[in-house]
Amino acid sequence: MSVQTFTTAATVDDAVAAVAAGARPVAGGTDFVVGARTGKSTMPESVVAIHRIAELHGVESLADGGLRLGALASHAEIAASDDVRERFTALSDASAIVGSHATRAHGTVGGNLMNASPAMETGGPLVVLGATATLRSPSGTRSVAVEDLWTGPGKTSAAADELLVGVEVPAPAAGTGSSYLRLEYRRQMEIAVVGASASVTVADGVVTNARIAMTALSATIRRVPEAEAALIGSDGGTAAIEKAGAAVAAAATPISDVRGSADYRRAMAAVIARRAIETALSRARGENT
Amino acid sequence: MKVAATLNVNGFSYPVELDPGMNLLAAVRDVVGLTGSKEGCDDSECGACMMLLDGQPVNACSYLALQAEGSAITTVEGLADGDTLAPLQAAFLDLGGVQCGFCTPGMLVSATALLAGNPNPTEDEVRIGLSGNLCRCTGYDGIVKAVLSVAETADRG
């Protein structure tokens, strides 16, 4: 099938109406065009380009200490934000390494989330930072936790008439540090072979909160409660970090593909998770990493 | 059904009729007729098709042509000033940055974008910045030297 109709939406209302009528939204196109060509997905009959909608752009620091990302915020824009780098560091880590500078200039956080790849870079950080996605349809707007957004590879819990319009990240608690790390073979145009995200809060030498998520290790990016439990209440020392890393490896249900075997991924899961946690802890303690 | 559109490439407006699913690389090469940009992998891996869209690098093989309407598109043909090569192009020739030449248009465009954002990069920053562009001749050393020479020239100026 080839694309029969192409429209460019000027407003969110236009875009939502087009999506509700069956059009597939396209923003940076970085997944869309390649996916259609490689047969991963077919080219839709109807496409609505949403990249010109001004109100969906932007990275905004909120008065309550939170962060609002327009669905069209590009990876480059997010990576260039000092506030994201200082306070939502895991997201900065991830946005800075998506694709190449060409991908980052046009690829968007909304597209990254809604394509629902279990290997996407920005998903794990947004999960551990407790982000929520805002979905709009002709009948209204609803929020869904980013960790509840995916139901399988390439599948989301969004209804067919819903368009992701933005992402909100709550203010991190004092003493929080976060990190995202991936195993990669190449420095750009790379996809995580294995990835891990960590957000930890340290108070008086004790880990009071921890969120750990794994990437490219299960059908969707997801949190690993056993790893979080291994850290919470601990001193964040080597023993607790080892235990958390082992918990991630135990929870992993990876696939074997051209990028790595399931056994290799499982073995590396512990290593990458450990390093992500160590970095997040260093950042939480205010060490310079 | 084809759609009438206008693409602005290297400062010229081209009235075109495009299939709505056509990518920007195919539109510029086959419809506009500027064949400097190359199709390497057709999968966003190699960067041979790289162009600038309002100054930002884009893998044109993976961008819908109709989305580029209203943006300024720059290809390798638009880097020189008439018959005068851009400093980066001259440096590629002087310092052995060109072997078979297939990756060169994308490399030049990518390096142009890199230097626009970071006029004085370190060697590591050049290598990371260009690592979305593959050279099948593996002639990276000359390419990196060429980019650094232009950065140093800019610095001395």
Side-chain angles (χ1 to χ4, degrees), chain B residues 64-151:
Chain B
L64 291 178
L66 287 176
Q67 282 194 273
E69 189 170 27
S71 291
I73 301 159
T74 307
T75 68
V76 68
E77 290 96 336
L79 297 183
D81 179 8
D83 289 336
T84 308
L85 292 180
L88 201 51
Q89 290 173 303
F92 266 56
L93 291 176
D94 290 345
L95 294 167
V98 180
Q99 290 186 42
C100 88
F102 195 84
C103 74
T104 310
M107 283 287 182
L108 286 167
V109 168
S110 190
T112 300
L114 174 72
L115 292 171
N118 181 3
N120 209 4
T122 63
E123 180 176 337
D124 200 43
E125 285 168 343
V126 172
R127 288 187 181 276
I128 293 172
L130 296 184
S131 61
N133 297 79
L134 298 181
C135 167
R136 69 174 188 177
C137 309
T138 72
Y140 295 104
D141 212 48
I143 292 167
V144 171
K145 280 184 182 139
V147 176
L148 284 170
S149 79
V150 173

Side-chain angles (χ1 to χ4, degrees), chain B residues 7-32:
Chain B
L7 292 182
N8 185 297
V9 189
N10 303 326
F12 293 95
S13 288
Y14 294 88
V16 289
E17 292 203 343
L18 302 174
D19 177 80
M22 183 178 256
N23 67 58
L24 180 59
L25 178 64
V28 169
R29 283 181 58 87
D30 303 339
V31 183
V32 172

Side-chain angles (χ1 to χ4, degrees), chain A residues 193-194 216-219 249 251-256 260-267 269:
Chain A
V193 181
V194 164
L217 285 166
S218 54
T253 52
I255 59 167
S256 290
S261 68
D263 283 347
Y264 179 61
R265 283 195 163 98
R266 209 174 286 110

Side-chain angles (χ1 to χ4, degrees), chain A residues 241-256:
Chain A
I241 295 170
E242 290 277 343
K243 204 173 157 192
V248 172
T253 52
I255 59 167
S256 290

Side-chain angles (χ1 to χ4, degrees), chain A residues 6 31 44 49 67 109 133 136 138 162 182-183 195 225 235 237 254 256 266 276 282:
Chain A
F6 176 98
D31 283 321
L67 181 76
V109 68
R136 195 184 297 182
E162 286 182 319
R182 75 177 176 199
L183 176 64
D235 61 355
S256 290
R266 209 174 286 110
S282 295

Side-chain angles (χ1 to χ4, degrees), chain A residues 72-223:
Chain A
L72 295 176
S74 70
H75 303 300
E77 201 179 344
I78 296 169
S81 160
D82 289 337
D83 191 34
V84 174
R85 193 177 314 121
E86 281 158 27
R87 300 192 305 126
F88 306 92
T89 319
L91 179 61
S92 188
D93 291 344
S95 299
I97 59 172
V98 177
S100 71
H101 61 164
T103 319
R104 292 190 292 276
H106 303 280
T108 65
V109 68
N112 208 213
L113 292 178
M114 295 305 281
N115 278 301
S117 164
M120 81 178 83
E121 311 299 349
T122 63
L126 288 170
V127 164
V128 299
L129 294 168
T132 55
T134 306
L135 301 169
R136 195 184 297 182
S137 72
S139 52
T141 298
R142 72 179 173 106
S143 290
V144 56
V146 168
E147 65 179 301
D148 296 327
L149 191 59
W150 310 298
T151 54
K155 293 190 170 66
T156 73
S157 58
D161 65 350
E162 286 182 319
L163 179 73
L164 180 93
V165 292
V167 177
E168 286 207 21
V169 193
T176 298
S178 67
S179 161
Y180 171 72
L181 188 70
R182 75 177 176 199
L183 176 64
E184 60 190 11
Y185 301 137
R186 185 181 168 192
R187 295 174 88 170
Q188 301 231 343
M189 290 321 299
E190 181 58 302
I191 299 166
V193 181
V194 164
S197 305
S199 175
V200 296
T201 306
V202 179
D204 298 327
V206 176
V207 178
T208 56
N209 197 13
R211 289 203 186 106
I212 311 298
M214 58 184 181
T215 295
L217 285 166
S218 54
T220 64
I221 292 170
R222 69 170 184 85
R223 283 170 67 182

Side-chain angles (χ1 to χ4, degrees), chain A residues 2-8 26-35 37-38 43 45 47-52 76 99-106 186-191 259, chain B residues 1 3 19-23 42-46 50 53-54 56-59 61-64 66-71 109-111 113-114 124 127-134:
Chain A
S2 62
V3 179
Q4 301 298 314
T5 62
F6 176 98
T7 56
T8 302
V26 60
T30 53
D31 283 321
F32 178 94
V33 182
V34 171
R37 191 168 36 239
T38 56
M43 268 281 189
E45 198 176 315
V47 171
V48 57
I50 62 173
H51 65 308
R52 304 281 185 200
S100 71
H101 61 164
T103 319
R104 292 190 292 276
H106 303 280
R186 185 181 168 192
R187 295 174 88 170
Q188 301 231 343
M189 290 321 299
E190 181 58 302
I191 299 166
R259 315 178 56 71
Chain B
M1 197 178 73
V3 177
D19 177 80
M22 183 178 256
N23 67 58
D42 198 23
D43 196 23
S44 273
E45 295 282 347
C46 77
M50 210 173 277
L53 208 52
D54 293 329
Q56 297 298 316
V58 65
N59 284 318
C61 75
S62 302
Y63 198 82
L64 291 178
L66 287 176
Q67 282 194 273
E69 189 170 27
S71 291
V109 168
S110 190
L114 174 72
D124 200 43
R127 288 187 181 276
I128 293 172
L130 296 184
S131 61
N133 297 79
L134 298 181

